[in-house]
Amino acid sequence: MEQAFTIIKRAVPEENGVTFLDNAFIKNFLLGAFLLLLAGWGMLIYFIHPRETPLILHYNVYFGVDLLGAWWQAYVLQGVATVLFVLHTALGYSFYQKKDRFAAYILLLATNFILFGVAVASASIAFINY
């Protein structure tokens, strides 16, 4: 039995000396979030350009187009997502420094889920107006 605990201790390293960006979980969560942000911005920049005619910002299967707006309004959702990413990263860093690592992990994981939803919304806005 004691040998099993020794194996587990070797498999799970202590986090006392690991900094925020050296932590494997944090690194993967931040990389995933950054790639989702990059994908969202890339789609919007590639497909949405300044124009006089209004863009379709929301489409509903039952009612059709139910929200139109100016071209720059397509970028608002992605801008809010970028601010959210920065705030959640700063808050996660604060939690990590206070030794509440699990809260930092959950916060950054939730950020990835939110940014995935924003990337899907940005893709739908980009492709419906293409």
Side-chain angles (χ1 to χ4, degrees):
M1 187 72 168
E2 189 175 321
Q3 186 179 14
F5 287 120
T6 308
I7 292 171
I8 291 173
K9 284 182 183 179
R10 280 191 225 145
V12 181
E14 291 185 11
E15 295 182 346
N16 293 338
V18 178
T19 63
F20 182 70
L21 291 178
D22 288 337
N23 188 315
F25 288 121
I26 301 290
K27 205 182 292 188
N28 288 330
F29 290 148
L30 290 178
L31 179 66
F34 183 73
L35 290 176
L36 286 169
L37 269 178
L38 195 63
W41 279 112
M43 281 185 287
L44 288 179
I45 290 171
Y46 185 76
F47 288 109
I48 306 296
H49 302 288
R51 63 183 187 182
E52 294 293 322
T53 59
L55 285 178
I56 298 170
L57 296 177
H58 189 262
Y59 179 83
N60 189 338
V61 221
Y62 297 113
F63 305 115
V65 176
D66 59 353
L67 184 61
L68 296 172
W71 66 271
W72 58 269
Q73 289 176 328
Y75 291 94
V76 170
L77 184 62
Q78 200 65 35
V80 169
T82 303
V83 170
L84 185 73
F85 170 70
V86 170
L87 289 176
H88 279 199
T89 303
L91 192 57
Y93 178 76
S94 172
F95 284 149
Y96 193 87
Q97 295 302 326
K98 292 178 182 175
K99 306 294 185 209
D100 196 1
R101 293 177 172 41
F102 186 71
Y105 298 155
I106 294 297
L107 183 69
L108 293 177
L109 179 64
T111 304
N112 277 303
F113 286 131
I114 292 168
L115 292 180
F116 179 75
V118 170
V120 169
S122 296
S124 66
I125 290 172
F127 292 137
I128 203 165
N129 288 292
Y130 183 64

